[in-house]
Amino acid sequence: MRLLLIEDDPDLSNSIKAELKLLGYAADVAFDGEEGEFLGTTESYDVVILDLGLPKMSGLEVLKLWRQAGNNVPVIVLTARDAWHEKVDGFKAGADDYLGKPFHFEELLARLQAVLKRVQVRLQEKLSLFGIELDEEQQSVSINGQKSVILTALEFRLLRYLMTHPNRVLSKYQLMEHIYEYDGDPESNVIEVYINRLRHIVGKDLIINRRGQGYLFGKNR
C-alpha cells in the first residue's frame, strides 16, 4: 500500500513515516498544501493522511480541490483543529475520518486500517485467499495453514497489493506505483525479481504472468 502523508511538522511526519515503513507501507511526505495537492493529483495513492494547518494551502482547500476534481482517494484528516464544527467542515469537504492531535500512533493505524478495509473489504489483519494467508503483524505468509515464511519488506508490500486485487491483471507500472515511494529509484527489472521470489514461495500457479500485460494473482486464466 502506498500512502501520502501531508504534514508540515518534520518530527511528526518523520515519526509517522518510520512507523508506517516498519508495517510495510510505502509513504511519501509533503510538507505544505501545494506540494501535497500536486502529489495527490498526479500520483496514485491508496490513502492520504492530511493535516489541516498547512503552509501555502490549507488541508481543507486541498481536500476540496481533490473532491471537486473527482479525486476520491480516502483521506484521514489529522489535526489539532478538532472542535465539533471543524470536524463537520472536514467531513463536508470529503474527509473519510478525522483524528485530533495529540494522538497515539496505534489509533492512527487502527483508523487507517478501518478506512482501507471499507474501501478494500478484503483487507484484514490476516488476509486469506486461495490457501494463502498473509499476516500483517508478522509480515509473513503461510500456505495451506502449514508453511510460514517471513517476507522482506518489498515482498510483503507486493504480495499484499496482489492479494487485495485478486483476479485482476496489474501492470508492472501499477505495481511499482503502489509499493514504492515517490523518491524511490527501483531498477527496471525489480518487479520481475520479486514476482519470481513470491512465485517460489506461494506457488507458480497463483501468480500468473500475462505477457505484455502484467501479473494476475488468482486462479482465473
Side-chain angles (χ1 to χ4, degrees):
M1 297 292 169
R2 186 181 176 198
L3 290 75
L4 174 61
L5 170 62
I6 311 177
E7 168 60 62
D8 63 329
D9 182 329
D11 291 335
L12 181 57
S13 59
N14 287 337
S15 171
I16 294 174
K17 179 173 180 173
E19 294 277 5
L20 290 172
K21 190 171 183 178
L22 284 175
L23 293 167
Y25 295 94
D28 295 335
V29 177
F31 294 100
D32 63 62
E34 286 185 358
E35 181 186 15
E37 195 279 334
F38 174 77
L39 286 175
T41 299
T42 57
E43 299 293 321
S44 180
Y45 293 102
D46 297 291
V47 67
V48 175
I49 301 171
L50 174 66
D51 186 20
L52 290 189
L54 295 167
K56 297 186 179 180
M57 183 187 295
S58 76
L60 207 56
E61 290 177 272
V62 171
L63 185 53
K64 287 179 178 176
L65 284 175
W66 284 344
R67 296 311 190 226
Q68 288 167 4
N71 183 343
N72 293 316
V73 62
V75 172
I76 300 173
V77 168
L78 182 66
T79 181
R81 302 176 183 176
D82 61 350
W84 70 267
H85 55 88
E86 291 170 318
K87 292 181 181 178
V88 170
D89 289 342
F91 284 121
K92 282 184 175 178
D96 296 88
D97 202 353
Y98 207 108
L99 180 60
K101 297 178 182 176
F103 63 94
H104 292 286
F105 177 78
E106 289 77 7
E107 183 177 2
L108 173 61
L109 178 63
R111 288 172 181 268
L112 172 67
Q113 291 175 330
V115 167
L116 287 170
K117 188 175 181 179
R118 287 200 292 270
V119 177
Q120 300 169 351
V121 176
R122 292 175 293 275
L123 182 64
Q124 303 168 359
E125 184 176 328
K126 289 187 177 180
L127 182 61
S128 182
L129 211 59
F130 305 125
I132 305 299
E133 188 172 89
L134 190 67
D135 190 321
E136 296 260 341
E137 296 290 331
Q138 299 295 321
Q139 296 190 16
S140 64
V141 62
S142 62
I143 295 91
N144 296 322
Q146 296 181 354
K147 181 181 178 184
S148 182
V149 178
I150 300 295
L151 301 172
T152 67
L154 278 178
E155 288 170 351
F156 174 72
R157 290 180 193 176
L158 183 56
L159 183 56
R160 179 169 59 184
Y161 195 75
L162 288 167
M163 290 182 68
T164 53
H165 298 79
N167 298 320
R168 285 180 51 186
V169 177
L170 300 168
S171 69
K172 186 169 74 171
Y173 178 73
Q174 283 177 296
L175 294 172
M176 290 176 73
E177 265 198 325
H178 286 273
I179 66 170
Y180 280 102
E181 295 160 0
Y182 183 69
D183 55 359
D185 186 25
E187 296 179 6
S188 60
N189 67 339
V190 73
I191 291 294
E192 287 92 336
V193 171
Y194 280 97
I195 286 287
N196 284 335
R197 291 188 188 181
L198 288 177
R199 295 180 81 194
H200 181 71
I201 295 171
V202 304
K204 293 181 179 179
D205 293 341
L206 274 182
I207 303 179
I208 300 157
N209 183 2
R210 291 276 183 85
R211 189 176 295 276
Q213 295 176 292
Y215 299 94
L216 179 148
F217 181 86
K219 294 186 175 179
N220 294 334
R221 292 176 184 273

